[in-house]
Amino acid sequence: MKPMVKKWAVLLTAAGLVASLAACGKEKETEGAAPAGTAASTASAKPTDISVTTLAFAAAPTGELEAVKKLNEKLNINLKLNWIPSAQISEKLNALLASNDLPDVLFVEDFNLTPAFLNAVDQGAFWELSSYIKNYPNLAKYPENVYKNASLKGKLYSLPRVRPLDGHEALLIRKDWLDKLGLQQPKTMDELATVLEAFAQKDPDGNGKADTYGAVLPGSPGPASYLLSMFGAGTKWKDENGTLTPYWWTPQAKEALAFWSKTFKAGGILPDMPILKTAQIKDMLVQSKAGAAIANVVDAYKYNVELQKVNPQANLIAVELPKTADGKAYYEQASGYYGQFLINKKTVNEAKLKKILELYDYTASVEGYNLATYGIQDVDYKVKPDGSVEQTEEGKKKGYSGDTTGQWVTGYFDKYSRAKVSGIPNDVYEANKKVIDSISSIPDPTYGLMKSAPFKEKGADWDKKLNDMIVNVIIGKNTLDDWDKLVKQFKDDASFQQHIKETNDFYKEKSK
């Protein structure tokens, strides 16, 4: 843990940053920027300087990029990009804030990791963007829930790096095993239990050995929340008439545990669950140890390519989650973004803000995104007949990649990006799209909220107790009575009650 004095230094410096803004009285004008309300640029206007600092998951480009030159020419700007290695992002962001020398545009991964930025937001250090977004057609295409999830206290202070809301949660299942056993795709939870038990007990691979199981469900370092949420327990929290309740306190959560415990006992879940990690889902499916999993829609095709190298008859497909007793299928909605870009009010006047939004609107188109991320078409990358991008060796040498040059843009919204991958057959892609179209997901109501003070202190311990009990009930080490006792223990815990109160206070403040 960092010394408390460092935290206070950052917080006080954030206040100092805001004080300096107030002292300025009038936002400083940017050289060459057009007056507010006029055209973004003219042939005679001096280029607008725009500095962007973001993260990188690989080595940053060292030379001047042709893509940046093209953007500069197209938009009459002078774009300067700076990358921070992903492993250092939180530390470096706090240092930047403390330096009182922020760039025009700044990436923030998670406010819970850099809470001093929330102080700066509260005090007016960054532009509020709600009234501007509608004027930029590509940014305006982002789903409303993406902006809602990225908002703070009902206001939008950032450009979210957009991602799909759905497609990360589907039932992956061996259709060839279903066919071998004369079974249909499971449409209900009862049918799912029958299928998973049959995969374990009826030799679906036909090798005469009892060496297969139903589903691979990872339990380390903790079980996936979908084990409970797919029964209607809620997404992390459940909103009941405007009040949030921990999703694992619900009757549906207990129903889910009873289901998985019974299924585990019948062999319907790989017995190594307590030690299996998410990364091992692929291994267990490709090795035909299990015949089902819950994962990204497109993972079914990707894993099936590996499967068919050993067994050409294998057919792993993605299908909808089964429905519960109330006739509904429950999906967790993703946040719809990864990281956010704040725009510095100290260095950016309204005219420059509009120029920055013009830049981000262009890079929120397919053409602009590909240019910024992959470089020059047919030189640094090629577009394949299916529309996917393939980088050339030349482009890779220059440093273009989604891991680096793709990290300073917000991207374009593609509802089906988790349904496709380069080379996917059209019939598989169309089937995957239908799965995504069938989803009606439930957002996590706590997106964008700060962690409560009690959770910051005790959350890791609370999570471990909860996760251990979920796994232990499923594998039969603990009973549902033990589960009830754990829930009561938390309900009687004053610190946990304070955590619930603070979370609800944050939620109500955001909902105003």
Side-chain angles (χ1 to χ4, degrees):
M1 181 178 289
K2 295 180 181 177
M4 184 60 70
V5 65
K6 289 188 177 180
K7 291 186 179 179
W8 278 109
V10 173
L11 291 169
L12 290 171
T13 309
L17 167 64
V18 176
S20 72
L21 298 180
C24 288
K26 179 182 177 184
E27 292 163 353
K28 82 174 192 180
E29 295 295 325
T30 304
E31 246 185 34
T38 66
S41 63
T42 67
S44 60
K46 184 176 179 181
T48 302
D49 292 331
I50 299 175
S51 57
V52 180
T53 294
T54 189
L55 85 171
F57 293 101
T62 54
E64 187 175 8
L65 295 169
E66 187 66 25
V68 172
K69 291 182 183 178
K70 294 286 186 185
L71 288 168
N72 287 343
E73 293 168 5
K74 179 177 179 65
L75 301 173
N76 194 33
I77 60 176
N78 179 29
L79 179 62
K80 298 295 183 185
L81 301 174
N82 177 55
W83 285 276
I84 297 173
S86 60
Q88 303 170 20
I89 190 69
S90 296
E91 176 187 349
K92 295 289 187 182
L93 287 178
N94 280 327
L96 274 174
L97 185 61
S99 74
N100 200 8
D101 187 24
L102 296 176
D104 299 325
V105 183
L106 181 70
F107 170 85
V108 173
E109 184 176 25
D110 184 341
F111 284 116
N112 284 294
L113 300 177
T114 50
F117 278 87
L118 287 173
N119 262 13
V121 167
D122 280 342
Q123 315 244 353
F126 302 103
W127 278 94
E128 205 279 312
L129 302 174
S130 302
S131 62
Y132 294 93
I133 295 299
K134 64 180 182 293
N135 299 320
Y136 298 87
N138 295 312
L139 294 174
K141 289 178 184 175
Y142 291 0
E144 182 182 350
N145 268 12
V146 174
Y147 286 124
K148 183 178 179 181
N149 290 339
S151 294
L152 296 167
K153 300 178 183 177
K155 295 184 178 181
L156 182 68
Y157 292 95
S158 68
L159 293 174
R161 286 161 34 90
V162 71
R163 298 290 186 272
L165 291 164
D166 298 309
H168 59 291
E169 200 176 1
L171 177 63
L172 277 52
I173 196 161
R174 287 286 294 270
K175 188 174 185 306
D176 55 314
W177 284 13
L178 290 174
D179 294 343
K180 173 84 185 310
L181 300 178
L183 297 170
Q184 299 296 314
Q185 171 192 330
K187 298 293 183 68
T188 67
M189 289 299 178
D190 286 343
E191 291 174 1
L192 177 63
T194 298
V195 165
L196 296 182
E197 291 171 20
F199 282 179
Q201 299 170 5
K202 297 187 177 180
D203 192 23
D205 60 357
N207 68 356
K209 300 177 182 178
D211 57 358
T212 58
Y213 295 91
V216 49
L217 302 177
S220 177
S225 56
Y226 60 68
L227 291 179
L228 307 186
S229 67
M230 65 189 289
F231 282 78
T235 303
K236 304 296 193 327
W237 294 77
K238 190 157 189 172
D239 183 336
E240 296 176 314
N241 301 317
T243 299
L244 298 181
T245 301
Y247 80 133
W248 49 279
W249 284 13
T250 63
Q252 293 90 343
K254 188 173 178 181
E255 177 190 349
L257 289 175
F259 174 90
W260 293 121
S261 178
K262 179 182 176 184
T263 303
F264 184 91
K265 188 175 181 180
I269 298 173
L270 206 68
D272 292 337
M273 177 192 177
I275 60 171
L276 284 175
K277 301 181 184 300
T278 301
Q280 293 176 279
I281 289 177
K282 175 184 177 181
D283 297 336
M284 298 300 102
L285 292 173
V286 170
Q287 294 170 22
S288 292
K289 296 291 186 184
I294 297 171
N296 283 320
V297 171
V298 76
D299 287 345
Y301 171 74
K302 290 161 62 176
Y303 301 167
N304 200 50
V305 170
E306 299 296 316
L307 258 170
Q308 290 185 341
K309 291 177 182 177
V310 178
N311 178 7
Q313 306 306 314
N315 188 14
L316 183 69
I317 63 172
V319 299
E320 299 93 335
L321 293 182
K323 294 178 172 63
T324 61
D326 63 7
K328 298 178 183 178
Y330 292 93
Y331 295 82
E332 296 183 0
Q333 188 176 103
S335 67
Y337 68 95
Y338 166 59
Q340 303 161 261
F341 287 109
L342 303 173
I343 301 177
N344 184 0
K345 212 166 185 181
K346 179 182 178 182
T347 61
V348 176
N349 64 7
E350 188 175 36
K352 185 169 179 176
L353 169 68
K354 291 178 179 178
K355 178 59 72 173
I356 289 170
L357 292 176
E358 182 185 352
L359 167 64
Y360 274 88
D361 188 65
Y362 176 60
T363 55
S365 68
V366 175
E367 174 188 284
Y369 175 80
N370 285 347
L371 172 63
T373 302
Y374 301 115
I376 310 304
Q377 186 170 345
D378 297 326
V379 176
D380 303 314
Y381 76 93
K382 296 182 183 296
V383 178
K384 300 175 75 173
D386 62 6
S388 61
V389 169
E390 183 176 58
Q391 282 188 268
T392 64
E393 290 304 315
E394 180 71 15
K396 293 175 184 176
K397 287 178 185 176
K398 294 174 183 175
Y400 292 110
S401 78
D403 288 340
T404 52
T405 46
Q407 298 302 314
W408 74 267
V409 291
T410 56
Y412 59 92
F413 179 74
D414 181 358
K415 176 181 179 180
Y416 301 116
S417 67
R418 291 196 179 105
K420 61 187 175 183
V421 69
S422 180
I424 191 169
N426 190 61
D427 62 329
V428 178
Y429 177 44
E430 290 300 322
N432 287 349
K433 285 168 64 177
K434 287 181 180 178
V435 172
I436 290 177
D437 285 338
S438 74
I439 294 172
S440 178
S441 55
I442 300 170
D444 179 348
T446 60
Y447 279 137
L449 301 189
M450 283 294 292
K451 303 295 184 188
S452 71
F455 188 86
K456 290 176 182 176
E457 179 185 353
K458 300 181 177 181
D461 180 57
W462 289 341
D463 283 347
K464 185 177 187 310
K465 286 181 180 178
L466 171 63
N467 292 336
D468 286 350
M469 182 61 75
I470 290 173
V471 170
N472 286 337
V473 170
I474 290 173
I475 66 175
K477 189 174 179 180
N478 285 106
T479 66
L480 288 174
D481 285 341
D482 294 327
W483 173 258
D484 289 338
K485 290 175 185 176
L486 180 74
V487 171
K488 183 178 186 307
Q489 178 184 330
F490 274 91
K491 286 183 176 181
D492 293 341
D493 185 329
S495 293
F496 197 78
Q497 287 293 339
Q498 181 63 24
H499 162 57
I500 293 176
K501 180 185 181 303
E502 289 185 20
T503 301
N504 272 281
D505 288 344
F506 291 148
Y507 181 55
K508 289 169 185 173
E509 188 176 12
K510 181 176 181 177
S511 301
K512 286 179 182 177

